[in-house]
Amino acid sequence: IGLLLFLDYQHLVPLLSIFYLLGDFASLADFANFLVLDPTLPWLITMVMTALLGAIAVYILGSVSERIRAGTGVYTALFFALSFWRVLFAHMPRHWMLTLVLISLLLYMGYRILTAGDRRSYLYAGVLGGLAALNAAVPMILLIVPFGAHLARTESWRVKIRNSSWYLMILIC
């Protein structure tokens, strides 16, 4: 629930209910009037969640880059953290930061499929690809990363096609 807070107003209900219980409101109608007259609280919650997801995305991309090639993680994280579009999207409470985190994890799972090829990587890639595709239409293009990683493995084509993890990933997506 915490990652989906800023997708729709109804996902703010858990945090707003905590604020309602901790606040001194006489009734639920007073709390509703408070939110209508001063919508700072939902806006602040979505801004904080967007900033946290942006920081998580910077960390994920830096660590993935470090695993792929040693010494590049810090440069990737700095480049990405100072990117204009990422900074712009981190200041607007939209769904793009969650999409970016899911895409970053999907890229990491593609790398894990290429190097390790374990069943868990295929499973996670399928789940992350499905979640990213449900969140926005653009990440559906990036589903080619785990597919291409599977096809780029050093196994024979017969083993690649008969791999049950490959079909599991496709079914979960």
PDB file of all heavy atoms in Angstrom, residues 88-111:
ATOM      1  N   LEU A  88      12.580  16.829 -12.028  1.00  0.00           N
ATOM      2  CA  LEU A  88      11.257  17.379 -12.315  1.00  0.00           C
ATOM      3  C   LEU A  88      10.155  16.417 -11.882  1.00  0.00           C
ATOM      4  O   LEU A  88       9.191  16.817 -11.228  1.00  0.00           O
ATOM      5  CB  LEU A  88      11.128  17.683 -13.812  1.00  0.00           C
ATOM      6  CG  LEU A  88       9.775  18.222 -14.266  1.00  0.00           C
ATOM      7  CD1 LEU A  88       9.571  19.633 -13.739  1.00  0.00           C
ATOM      8  CD2 LEU A  88       9.678  18.184 -15.764  1.00  0.00           C
ATOM      9  N   PHE A  89      10.301  15.143 -12.207  1.00  0.00           N
ATOM     10  CA  PHE A  89       9.280  14.167 -11.834  1.00  0.00           C
ATOM     11  C   PHE A  89       9.253  13.915 -10.331  1.00  0.00           C
ATOM     12  O   PHE A  89       8.242  13.505  -9.784  1.00  0.00           O
ATOM     13  CB  PHE A  89       9.478  12.848 -12.569  1.00  0.00           C
ATOM     14  CG  PHE A  89       9.018  12.897 -13.994  1.00  0.00           C
ATOM     15  CD1 PHE A  89       9.700  12.205 -14.971  1.00  0.00           C
ATOM     16  CD2 PHE A  89       7.915  13.634 -14.371  1.00  0.00           C
ATOM     17  CE1 PHE A  89       9.284  12.237 -16.280  1.00  0.00           C
ATOM     18  CE2 PHE A  89       7.493  13.684 -15.676  1.00  0.00           C
ATOM     19  CZ  PHE A  89       8.175  12.987 -16.630  1.00  0.00           C
ATOM     20  N   ALA A  90      10.364  14.138  -9.649  1.00  0.00           N
ATOM     21  CA  ALA A  90      10.391  13.951  -8.198  1.00  0.00           C
ATOM     22  C   ALA A  90       9.664  15.080  -7.475  1.00  0.00           C
ATOM     23  O   ALA A  90       9.305  14.929  -6.319  1.00  0.00           O
ATOM     24  CB  ALA A  90      11.829  13.861  -7.700  1.00  0.00           C
ATOM     25  N   HIS A  91       9.449  16.193  -8.145  1.00  0.00           N
ATOM     26  CA  HIS A  91       8.753  17.316  -7.509  1.00  0.00           C
ATOM     27  C   HIS A  91       7.258  17.329  -7.807  1.00  0.00           C
ATOM     28  O   HIS A  91       6.543  18.166  -7.277  1.00  0.00           O
ATOM     29  CB  HIS A  91       9.372  18.643  -7.949  1.00  0.00           C
ATOM     30  CG  HIS A  91      10.670  18.916  -7.288  1.00  0.00           C
ATOM     31  ND1 HIS A  91      11.847  18.391  -7.743  1.00  0.00           N
ATOM     32  CD2 HIS A  91      10.975  19.624  -6.179  1.00  0.00           C
ATOM     33  CE1 HIS A  91      12.828  18.787  -6.962  1.00  0.00           C
ATOM     34  NE2 HIS A  91      12.328  19.525  -6.009  1.00  0.00           N
ATOM     35  N   MET A  92       6.816  16.446  -8.663  1.00  0.00           N
ATOM     36  CA  MET A  92       5.388  16.368  -8.966  1.00  0.00           C
ATOM     37  C   MET A  92       4.865  15.030  -8.458  1.00  0.00           C
ATOM     38  O   MET A  92       5.442  13.992  -8.785  1.00  0.00           O
ATOM     39  CB  MET A  92       5.151  16.451 -10.480  1.00  0.00           C
ATOM     40  CG  MET A  92       5.547  17.771 -11.074  1.00  0.00           C
ATOM     41  SD  MET A  92       5.124  17.876 -12.820  1.00  0.00           S
ATOM     42  CE  MET A  92       6.025  16.519 -13.519  1.00  0.00           C
ATOM     43  N   PRO A  93       3.815  15.026  -7.675  1.00  0.00           N
ATOM     44  CA  PRO A  93       3.275  13.748  -7.187  1.00  0.00           C
ATOM     45  C   PRO A  93       2.536  13.009  -8.290  1.00  0.00           C
ATOM     46  O   PRO A  93       1.333  13.141  -8.451  1.00  0.00           O
ATOM     47  CB  PRO A  93       2.352  14.155  -6.045  1.00  0.00           C
ATOM     48  CG  PRO A  93       1.989  15.562  -6.323  1.00  0.00           C
ATOM     49  CD  PRO A  93       3.124  16.161  -7.079  1.00  0.00           C
ATOM     50  N   ARG A  94       3.256  12.255  -9.059  1.00  0.00           N
ATOM     51  CA  ARG A  94       2.682  11.490 -10.158  1.00  0.00           C
ATOM     52  C   ARG A  94       3.133  10.041 -10.031  1.00  0.00           C
ATOM     53  O   ARG A  94       3.923   9.690  -9.169  1.00  0.00           O
ATOM     54  CB  ARG A  94       3.177  12.058 -11.498  1.00  0.00           C
ATOM     55  CG  ARG A  94       2.839  13.493 -11.779  1.00  0.00           C
ATOM     56  CD  ARG A  94       1.422  13.677 -12.282  1.00  0.00           C
ATOM     57  NE  ARG A  94       1.112  12.750 -13.339  1.00  0.00           N
ATOM     58  CZ  ARG A  94       1.053  13.054 -14.617  1.00  0.00           C
ATOM     59  NH1 ARG A  94       1.292  14.257 -15.017  1.00  0.00           N
ATOM     60  NH2 ARG A  94       0.723  12.130 -15.505  1.00  0.00           N
ATOM     61  N   HIS A  95       2.700   9.221 -10.933  1.00  0.00           N
ATOM     62  CA  HIS A  95       3.008   7.799 -10.886  1.00  0.00           C
ATOM     63  C   HIS A  95       4.350   7.455 -11.532  1.00  0.00           C
ATOM     64  O   HIS A  95       4.782   6.323 -11.479  1.00  0.00           O
ATOM     65  CB  HIS A  95       1.905   7.009 -11.571  1.00  0.00           C
ATOM     66  CG  HIS A  95       1.797   7.292 -13.035  1.00  0.00           C
ATOM     67  ND1 HIS A  95       1.246   8.461 -13.514  1.00  0.00           N
ATOM     68  CD2 HIS A  95       2.192   6.581 -14.104  1.00  0.00           C
ATOM     69  CE1 HIS A  95       1.299   8.447 -14.828  1.00  0.00           C
ATOM     70  NE2 HIS A  95       1.863   7.319 -15.211  1.00  0.00           N
ATOM     71  N   TRP A  96       5.048   8.424 -12.088  1.00  0.00           N
ATOM     72  CA  TRP A  96       6.266   8.122 -12.833  1.00  0.00           C
ATOM     73  C   TRP A  96       7.407   7.668 -11.938  1.00  0.00           C
ATOM     74  O   TRP A  96       8.264   6.910 -12.377  1.00  0.00           O
ATOM     75  CB  TRP A  96       6.691   9.335 -13.656  1.00  0.00           C
ATOM     76  CG  TRP A  96       5.750   9.603 -14.762  1.00  0.00           C
ATOM     77  CD1 TRP A  96       4.897  10.653 -14.872  1.00  0.00           C
ATOM     78  CD2 TRP A  96       5.525   8.783 -15.905  1.00  0.00           C
ATOM     79  NE1 TRP A  96       4.148  10.544 -16.012  1.00  0.00           N
ATOM     80  CE2 TRP A  96       4.524   9.391 -16.675  1.00  0.00           C
ATOM     81  CE3 TRP A  96       6.063   7.583 -16.352  1.00  0.00           C
ATOM     82  CZ2 TRP A  96       4.060   8.852 -17.851  1.00  0.00           C
ATOM     83  CZ3 TRP A  96       5.588   7.053 -17.526  1.00  0.00           C
ATOM     84  CH2 TRP A  96       4.611   7.685 -18.264  1.00  0.00           C
ATOM     85  N   MET A  97       7.460   8.101 -10.704  1.00  0.00           N
ATOM     86  CA  MET A  97       8.540   7.640  -9.825  1.00  0.00           C
ATOM     87  C   MET A  97       8.381   6.168  -9.482  1.00  0.00           C
ATOM     88  O   MET A  97       9.351   5.430  -9.439  1.00  0.00           O
ATOM     89  CB  MET A  97       8.605   8.468  -8.545  1.00  0.00           C
ATOM     90  CG  MET A  97       9.391   9.726  -8.679  1.00  0.00           C
ATOM     91  SD  MET A  97      11.107   9.386  -9.073  1.00  0.00           S
ATOM     92  CE  MET A  97      11.327  10.431 -10.461  1.00  0.00           C
ATOM     93  N   LEU A  98       7.159   5.736  -9.245  1.00  0.00           N
ATOM     94  CA  LEU A  98       6.927   4.309  -9.019  1.00  0.00           C
ATOM     95  C   LEU A  98       7.274   3.511 -10.265  1.00  0.00           C
ATOM     96  O   LEU A  98       7.884   2.438 -10.178  1.00  0.00           O
ATOM     97  CB  LEU A  98       5.477   4.064  -8.604  1.00  0.00           C
ATOM     98  CG  LEU A  98       5.087   2.611  -8.377  1.00  0.00           C
ATOM     99  CD1 LEU A  98       5.925   2.005  -7.259  1.00  0.00           C
ATOM    100  CD2 LEU A  98       3.621   2.503  -8.074  1.00  0.00           C
ATOM    101  N   THR A  99       6.920   4.041 -11.426  1.00  0.00           N
ATOM    102  CA  THR A  99       7.277   3.387 -12.679  1.00  0.00           C
ATOM    103  C   THR A  99       8.785   3.291 -12.827  1.00  0.00           C
ATOM    104  O   THR A  99       9.308   2.258 -13.247  1.00  0.00           O
ATOM    105  CB  THR A  99       6.682   4.164 -13.871  1.00  0.00           C
ATOM    106  OG1 THR A  99       5.277   4.283 -13.680  1.00  0.00           O
ATOM    107  CG2 THR A  99       6.967   3.477 -15.177  1.00  0.00           C
ATOM    108  N   LEU A 100       9.486   4.341 -12.452  1.00  0.00           N
ATOM    109  CA  LEU A 100      10.947   4.336 -12.555  1.00  0.00           C
ATOM    110  C   LEU A 100      11.585   3.312 -11.624  1.00  0.00           C
ATOM    111  O   LEU A 100      12.531   2.617 -12.000  1.00  0.00           O
ATOM    112  CB  LEU A 100      11.482   5.733 -12.248  1.00  0.00           C
ATOM    113  CG  LEU A 100      12.964   5.932 -12.425  1.00  0.00           C
ATOM    114  CD1 LEU A 100      13.375   5.665 -13.862  1.00  0.00           C
ATOM    115  CD2 LEU A 100      13.347   7.331 -12.023  1.00  0.00           C
ATOM    116  N   VAL A 101      11.055   3.169 -10.424  1.00  0.00           N
ATOM    117  CA  VAL A 101      11.575   2.160  -9.494  1.00  0.00           C
ATOM    118  C   VAL A 101      11.331   0.762 -10.059  1.00  0.00           C
ATOM    119  O   VAL A 101      12.229  -0.087 -10.043  1.00  0.00           O
ATOM    120  CB  VAL A 101      10.934   2.325  -8.100  1.00  0.00           C
ATOM    121  CG1 VAL A 101      11.237   1.140  -7.212  1.00  0.00           C
ATOM    122  CG2 VAL A 101      11.414   3.597  -7.442  1.00  0.00           C
ATOM    123  N   LEU A 102      10.140   0.525 -10.589  1.00  0.00           N
ATOM    124  CA  LEU A 102       9.838  -0.788 -11.160  1.00  0.00           C
ATOM    125  C   LEU A 102      10.703  -1.082 -12.381  1.00  0.00           C
ATOM    126  O   LEU A 102      11.172  -2.210 -12.566  1.00  0.00           O
ATOM    127  CB  LEU A 102       8.352  -0.870 -11.514  1.00  0.00           C
ATOM    128  CG  LEU A 102       7.394  -0.861 -10.331  1.00  0.00           C
ATOM    129  CD1 LEU A 102       5.957  -0.755 -10.804  1.00  0.00           C
ATOM    130  CD2 LEU A 102       7.588  -2.078  -9.465  1.00  0.00           C
ATOM    131  N   ILE A 103      10.941  -0.075 -13.212  1.00  0.00           N
ATOM    132  CA  ILE A 103      11.798  -0.263 -14.388  1.00  0.00           C
ATOM    133  C   ILE A 103      13.236  -0.540 -13.950  1.00  0.00           C
ATOM    134  O   ILE A 103      13.914  -1.402 -14.520  1.00  0.00           O
ATOM    135  CB  ILE A 103      11.723   0.970 -15.311  1.00  0.00           C
ATOM    136  CG1 ILE A 103      10.392   1.001 -16.038  1.00  0.00           C
ATOM    137  CG2 ILE A 103      12.865   0.988 -16.312  1.00  0.00           C
ATOM    138  CD1 ILE A 103      10.149   2.267 -16.814  1.00  0.00           C
ATOM    139  N   SER A 104      13.720   0.159 -12.931  1.00  0.00           N
ATOM    140  CA  SER A 104      15.076  -0.069 -12.439  1.00  0.00           C
ATOM    141  C   SER A 104      15.237  -1.495 -11.921  1.00  0.00           C
ATOM    142  O   SER A 104      16.235  -2.164 -12.200  1.00  0.00           O
ATOM    143  CB  SER A 104      15.413   0.918 -11.328  1.00  0.00           C
ATOM    144  OG  SER A 104      15.268   2.232 -11.765  1.00  0.00           O
ATOM    145  N   LEU A 105      14.244  -1.961 -11.169  1.00  0.00           N
ATOM    146  CA  LEU A 105      14.288  -3.338 -10.686  1.00  0.00           C
ATOM    147  C   LEU A 105      14.168  -4.338 -11.825  1.00  0.00           C
ATOM    148  O   LEU A 105      14.776  -5.415 -11.791  1.00  0.00           O
ATOM    149  CB  LEU A 105      13.192  -3.558  -9.647  1.00  0.00           C
ATOM    150  CG  LEU A 105      13.394  -2.856  -8.315  1.00  0.00           C
ATOM    151  CD1 LEU A 105      12.153  -2.980  -7.455  1.00  0.00           C
ATOM    152  CD2 LEU A 105      14.607  -3.408  -7.595  1.00  0.00           C
ATOM    153  N   LEU A 106      13.400  -3.985 -12.845  1.00  0.00           N
ATOM    154  CA  LEU A 106      13.275  -4.850 -14.011  1.00  0.00           C
ATOM    155  C   LEU A 106      14.602  -4.954 -14.764  1.00  0.00           C
ATOM    156  O   LEU A 106      14.981  -6.035 -15.233  1.00  0.00           O
ATOM    157  CB  LEU A 106      12.181  -4.318 -14.932  1.00  0.00           C
ATOM    158  CG  LEU A 106      11.766  -5.170 -16.114  1.00  0.00           C
ATOM    159  CD1 LEU A 106      11.157  -6.466 -15.632  1.00  0.00           C
ATOM    160  CD2 LEU A 106      10.774  -4.424 -16.973  1.00  0.00           C
ATOM    161  N   LEU A 107      15.332  -3.847 -14.863  1.00  0.00           N
ATOM    162  CA  LEU A 107      16.659  -3.894 -15.480  1.00  0.00           C
ATOM    163  C   LEU A 107      17.617  -4.772 -14.674  1.00  0.00           C
ATOM    164  O   LEU A 107      18.407  -5.539 -15.234  1.00  0.00           O
ATOM    165  CB  LEU A 107      17.229  -2.484 -15.607  1.00  0.00           C
ATOM    166  CG  LEU A 107      16.548  -1.558 -16.603  1.00  0.00           C
ATOM    167  CD1 LEU A 107      17.127  -0.156 -16.513  1.00  0.00           C
ATOM    168  CD2 LEU A 107      16.690  -2.099 -18.009  1.00  0.00           C
ATOM    169  N   TYR A 108      17.526  -4.677 -13.359  1.00  0.00           N
ATOM    170  CA  TYR A 108      18.367  -5.517 -12.508  1.00  0.00           C
ATOM    171  C   TYR A 108      18.022  -7.001 -12.676  1.00  0.00           C
ATOM    172  O   TYR A 108      18.905  -7.853 -12.725  1.00  0.00           O
ATOM    173  CB  TYR A 108      18.232  -5.094 -11.050  1.00  0.00           C
ATOM    174  CG  TYR A 108      19.000  -5.971 -10.109  1.00  0.00           C
ATOM    175  CD1 TYR A 108      20.382  -6.083 -10.202  1.00  0.00           C
ATOM    176  CD2 TYR A 108      18.348  -6.710  -9.134  1.00  0.00           C
ATOM    177  CE1 TYR A 108      21.089  -6.889  -9.350  1.00  0.00           C
ATOM    178  CE2 TYR A 108      19.049  -7.525  -8.274  1.00  0.00           C
ATOM    179  CZ  TYR A 108      20.425  -7.618  -8.386  1.00  0.00           C
ATOM    180  OH  TYR A 108      21.121  -8.431  -7.549  1.00  0.00           O
ATOM    181  N   MET A 109      16.738  -7.297 -12.778  1.00  0.00           N
ATOM    182  CA  MET A 109      16.347  -8.701 -12.979  1.00  0.00           C
ATOM    183  C   MET A 109      16.808  -9.199 -14.347  1.00  0.00           C
ATOM    184  O   MET A 109      17.174 -10.360 -14.493  1.00  0.00           O
ATOM    185  CB  MET A 109      14.833  -8.862 -12.840  1.00  0.00           C
ATOM    186  CG  MET A 109      14.350  -8.803 -11.426  1.00  0.00           C
ATOM    187  SD  MET A 109      15.117 -10.051 -10.397  1.00  0.00           S
ATOM    188  CE  MET A 109      15.832  -9.038  -9.140  1.00  0.00           C
ATOM    189  N   GLY A 110      16.804  -8.320 -15.358  1.00  0.00           N
ATOM    190  CA  GLY A 110      17.362  -8.705 -16.655  1.00  0.00           C
ATOM    191  C   GLY A 110      18.832  -9.043 -16.550  1.00  0.00           C
ATOM    192  O   GLY A 110      19.305 -10.011 -17.149  1.00  0.00           O
ATOM    193  N   TYR A 111      19.571  -8.275 -15.759  1.00  0.00           N
ATOM    194  CA  TYR A 111      20.986  -8.574 -15.545  1.00  0.00           C
ATOM    195  C   TYR A 111      21.156  -9.893 -14.798  1.00  0.00           C
ATOM    196  O   TYR A 111      22.032 -10.693 -15.120  1.00  0.00           O
ATOM    197  CB  TYR A 111      21.640  -7.426 -14.771  1.00  0.00           C
ATOM    198  CG  TYR A 111      23.056  -7.708 -14.378  1.00  0.00           C
ATOM    199  CD1 TYR A 111      24.064  -7.773 -15.322  1.00  0.00           C
ATOM    200  CD2 TYR A 111      23.393  -7.945 -13.041  1.00  0.00           C
ATOM    201  CE1 TYR A 111      25.364  -8.045 -14.960  1.00  0.00           C
ATOM    202  CE2 TYR A 111      24.681  -8.216 -12.671  1.00  0.00           C
ATOM    203  CZ  TYR A 111      25.669  -8.265 -13.631  1.00  0.00           C
ATOM    204  OH  TYR A 111      26.951  -8.550 -13.271  1.00  0.00           O
TER     205      TYR A 111
END
